[in-house]
Amino acid sequence: MENQCGNSRIAGCSFSVHPMSDQFVSYIKGSLQEVDTSNVWMKTDDVTTTVRGRMEHVFDVTKAILLHIAKTDVHVAFQGTFSIGCPGDSSGDVYMEETTERLNEKDTSDIQQYSAAKFSLYPMGGGDYMDTIYSQIEAMKEKGVTVSPAHYSTRLEGDTNAIFTGLEDVFRETENSGSSHTVMTVTISANSPTHKEKQS
């Protein structure tokens, strides 16, 4: 079978957000109005929204969409699949020429929001990545994120900004370790009634 991998290092995330409210449409639309998506290619269908572009912009936009919903105090869940590498396609390649400036960082960096997350990382196509993953998990702990094992995943608890920083770092460093195609699945829950019970 012919290899369809491309040379572009465009990153992407296919994700969905689920506000636990009858007004879920308003929460999602309100968040999208506050988030600057001009540095990414974005398309929404009846199942998910996909954003593609430079890695830093993909994480910046997905984090901002979640945080702008979570800051309203509604219970919200985020589920996403991040990918970089093959199989390559050209949709959104023009956004690789954007600057590295994170357009939403100014508005989200001060939002203090506890969340719990689980992630699984799938490096494909070679590379020496296990030591990289372990070192990045230790770095998350240094940022105040609680890390624990879970079935088929790793559990993270703490500030949402710190969690997204840790997820981006482990994703980026895994790619830098030689993985030609890296996939990461992420599930995040914010404002869960369970969280409030723990923190009360």
Side-chain angles (χ1 to χ4, degrees):
M1 182 175 178
E2 185 179 354
N3 189 342
Q4 297 297 315
C5 298
N7 293 322
S8 173
R9 303 314 294 169
I10 189 169
C13 180
S14 178
F15 70 95
S16 56
V17 285
H18 305 279
M20 310 302 176
S21 167
D22 291 340
Q23 288 78 45
F24 65 92
V25 174
S26 297
Y27 282 110
I28 294 172
K29 286 185 175 180
S31 174
L32 290 173
Q33 289 175 355
E34 293 192 75
V35 176
D36 190 335
T37 61
S38 56
N39 273 357
V40 296
W41 177 94
M42 185 168 72
K43 182 177 181 179
T44 299
D45 59 27
D46 58 339
V47 182
T48 63
T49 294
T50 300
V51 293
R52 304 185 79 238
R54 297 179 66 96
M55 187 186 300
E56 54 268 28
H57 297 321
V58 170
F59 278 90
D60 176 61
V61 166
T62 51
K63 179 183 72 172
I65 289 173
L66 173 62
L67 277 175
H68 282 301
I69 296 175
K71 74 180 183 181
T72 67
D73 206 35
V74 69
H75 179 197
V76 58
F78 169 98
Q79 190 162 30
T81 300
F82 293 84
S83 179
I84 188 169
C86 63
D89 70 59
S90 59
S91 297
D93 278 356
V94 65
Y95 291 92
M96 294 299 288
E97 300 175 6
E98 299 290 345
T99 68
T100 59
E101 180 186 3
R102 299 172 191 252
L103 299 181
N104 297 285
E105 187 68 22
K106 182 179 178 181
D107 293 330
T108 59
S109 60
D110 291 334
I111 299 176
Q112 296 182 343
Q113 176 64 54
Y114 174 90
S115 64
K118 289 184 178 180
F119 81 99
S120 299
L121 194 62
Y122 305 96
M124 307 176 196
D128 182 15
Y129 52 84
M130 288 309 300
D131 287 344
T132 298
I133 294 173
Y134 291 140
S135 67
Q136 290 303 316
I137 286 176
E138 290 303 314
M140 290 187 205
K141 294 178 181 178
E142 293 175 3
K143 293 182 175 71
V145 176
T146 301
V147 182
S148 58
H151 290 298
Y152 319 117
S153 62
T154 299
R155 181 181 174 91
L156 309 173
E157 297 178 62
D159 179 73
T160 304
N161 275 295
I163 286 175
F164 263 88
T165 297
L167 291 171
E168 180 180 350
D169 287 347
V170 70
F171 188 69
R172 183 185 301 279
E173 292 307 313
T174 300
E175 190 220 2
N176 289 342
S177 72
S179 173
S180 62
H181 182 200
T182 303
V183 174
M184 181 172 69
T185 59
V186 177
T187 303
I188 304 174
S189 176
N191 297 322
S192 167
T194 304
H195 302 164
K196 294 177 181 180
E197 290 172 7
K198 287 182 179 179
Q199 293 175 317
S200 62

